[in-house]
Amino acid sequence: IADRTAYLMDLFTGTLSIGRHVVNVFGEYSVHVSQIAIDRLSSQERNWRILQQTNLATDKMEGLNRSLVRLANMPNSPETTPNLQPSITDLASMFDAWYSALMNSHLRLTDLVAGLTPEELEGSSYASEWNIAQVLSHLGSGAEIFSLLLKAGLNGDPAPEREVYLPIWERWNAKRPEQQTHDSLRFNAEFLEQMVALDDSQRRALHLSMFGQDQDVIDLLRLRLSEHAVHTWDVAVALDQDATIASDAVVLLLDILERRVNRSAKPTEKPIEVRIVTQDPKRLFVLNVNIDGAVLRPLTNLEVAEFKASLELPAEAFIRLVYGRLGLEHRHKIYEDGVDIDALRQVFPGF
């Protein structure tokens, strides 16, 4: 974790025990970092220190890597290949994969904002109604709320009511930009530390009633990563117009995207049916939108129906489309056939 500004000094002095995994999603290596000194290291120094303090991968982490390799290197024939699902099935490996992507997103965001001046923190983010500090404030209050959700799930309690969240949001909104940034990184680190401290029995026992469904520990990580990775891109693209959502998050989020579509898409009077082909990783979907809402589902090689409309694009861009973040300036390698992508953008206004 880099500390390149005075207002982050008190957060990044000393030693942080977090027992975290740092995973290369394409399987080049897996490492376990048991304790990392973070006394104002540069990004390059941090990476060097992590590698120096690395233990060799355990059999469990090697198995996770093999699963991720299979997931990231799927066959490239959309005409004949079904949507293969990740072979990460046991709880420990699933936890490692989602936790590692969330940790990497946190480290990425820390590096992005550590060198910014107070004035730059008040610069625009991709989220039109928020500046960069306000994005951090949203993620910081979110980390505080997710800690409450984690506690409730461990105690067998229902998720807190919205009234509990209101004073949290008000308190964060009242902070100065520098404090929003500082506290956001601290609360995010604390939530990650709470998650990784869970033992196997706690991970299995955690259940929480939320959004009308029973959520487990993996669901909490999924919800948090989907928010954190996308909002980190909101900051990253404001600083670099070629920025993309992190690849390890893309691999994981793509296969749960249908949940987001079913929940957030706007209905349309004119029905839309379009075949979606993603690259990196390869996936096939069909998207149906009508007056009742939208449904995204995987396509398999057993389905022979022809589609009048198709859309081919990077998986990362498809995620941004669904999250309302596919503006004109960020459309690369997108091929439309019989579909108006601007009509799809109206279906997914984002947040």
Side-chain angles (χ1 to χ4, degrees):
I1 300 174
D3 173 14
R4 292 190 285 271
T5 58
Y7 60 83
L8 295 178
M9 282 185 180
D10 60 327
L11 175 59
F12 296 138
T13 53
T15 301
L16 176 65
S17 296
I18 200 164
R20 67 175 176 260
H21 291 95
V22 180
V23 179
N24 181 316
V25 74
F26 295 109
E28 294 175 3
Y29 59 86
S30 288
V31 298
H32 176 74
V33 183
S34 59
Q35 192 172 44
I36 301 174
I38 48 174
D39 47 353
R40 293 190 295 165
L41 299 177
S42 70
S43 178
Q44 293 80 5
E45 290 170 328
R46 186 193 70 243
N47 292 336
W48 181 87
R49 185 75 61 86
I50 288 174
L51 292 176
Q52 292 299 310
Q53 297 188 13
T54 292
N55 297 323
L56 293 177
T58 62
D59 290 342
K60 179 181 71 174
M61 291 304 295
E62 289 175 349
L64 170 61
N65 268 344
R66 288 192 293 271
S67 297
L68 291 173
V69 168
R70 289 194 293 270
L71 177 60
N73 295 287
M74 295 176 60
N76 291 324
S77 174
E79 306 302 331
T80 60
T81 303
N83 277 26
L84 302 179
Q85 295 302 310
S87 54
I88 306 174
T89 55
D90 65 284
L91 179 63
S93 294
M94 290 176 67
F95 185 96
D96 288 336
W98 286 91
Y99 177 85
S100 296
L102 182 57
M103 170 57 75
N104 290 340
S105 185
H106 169 66
L107 293 175
R108 181 189 189 191
L109 182 61
T110 301
D111 281 344
L112 285 168
V113 302
L116 299 184
T117 66
E119 292 75 19
E120 289 170 328
L121 289 173
E122 296 188 67
S124 298
S125 74
Y126 191 85
S128 59
E129 296 182 357
W130 290 340
N131 61 34
I132 290 175
Q134 288 169 326
V135 172
L136 271 290
S137 177
H138 175 72
L139 289 174
S141 63
E144 186 173 347
I145 289 169
F146 266 80
S147 291
L148 296 179
L149 295 174
L150 175 60
K151 182 178 180 181
L154 290 172
N155 293 335
D157 298 329
E161 298 292 335
R162 189 173 187 274
E163 289 70 22
V164 176
Y165 306 150
L166 294 177
I168 295 176
W169 292 329
E170 292 175 359
R171 176 162 38 83
W172 279 87
N173 290 339
K175 297 174 185 280
R176 294 176 293 106
E178 303 96 312
Q179 199 67 37
Q180 288 174 326
T181 303
H182 174 285
D183 291 352
S184 176
L185 299 177
R186 178 168 64 88
F187 273 83
N188 274 295
E190 289 176 359
F191 173 70
L192 286 162
E193 198 166 1
Q194 292 163 9
M195 291 296 291
V196 81
L198 300 176
D199 59 33
D200 288 342
S201 63
Q202 289 175 310
R203 295 179 186 180
R204 295 185 182 280
L206 190 152
H207 286 279
L208 183 70
S209 178
M210 186 169 61
F211 303 136
Q213 295 180 328
D214 184 57
Q215 312 284 347
D216 61 17
V217 67
I218 303 302
D219 292 319
L220 281 186
L221 285 170
R222 287 168 175 162
L223 289 168
R224 186 57 180 162
L225 179 64
S226 65
E227 178 179 52
H228 200 283
V230 172
H231 282 309
T232 294
W233 180 83
D234 287 340
V235 174
V237 78
L239 305 173
D240 176 6
Q241 65 177 0
D242 295 324
T244 58
I245 297 174
S247 59
D248 54 353
V250 168
V251 170
L252 294 169
L253 295 177
L254 184 63
D255 288 315
I256 62 166
L257 201 57
E258 58 194 79
R259 304 181 189 186
R260 176 77 191 179
V261 169
N262 300 347
R263 188 174 68 249
S264 64
K266 284 191 171 184
T268 177
E269 292 186 2
K270 183 178 179 180
I272 300 173
E273 183 180 61
V274 57
R275 184 182 71 163
I276 309 290
V277 182
T278 70
Q279 306 292 344
D280 302 320
K282 176 83 71 178
R283 293 291 188 277
L284 277 175
F285 302 95
V286 58
L287 173 66
N288 286 282
V289 190
N290 54 40
I291 193 65
D292 296 320
V295 175
L296 179 73
R297 64 177 180 84
L299 279 176
T300 73
N301 60 340
L302 301 178
E303 298 181 81
V304 296
E306 295 185 6
F307 295 89
K308 295 180 180 179
S310 64
L311 178 67
E312 183 173 345
L313 71 175
E316 185 270 345
F318 184 41
I319 291 173
R320 286 193 285 108
L321 170 64
V322 171
Y323 279 79
R325 285 160 168 78
L326 193 63
L328 288 172
E329 68 276 29
H330 302 295
R331 300 183 192 177
H332 308 296
K333 300 180 181 178
I334 296 178
Y335 306 98
E336 310 163 49
D337 183 10
V339 61
D340 181 0
I341 197 167
D342 288 319
L344 293 180
R345 291 180 65 224
Q346 296 302 312
V347 174
F348 302 109
F351 58 93

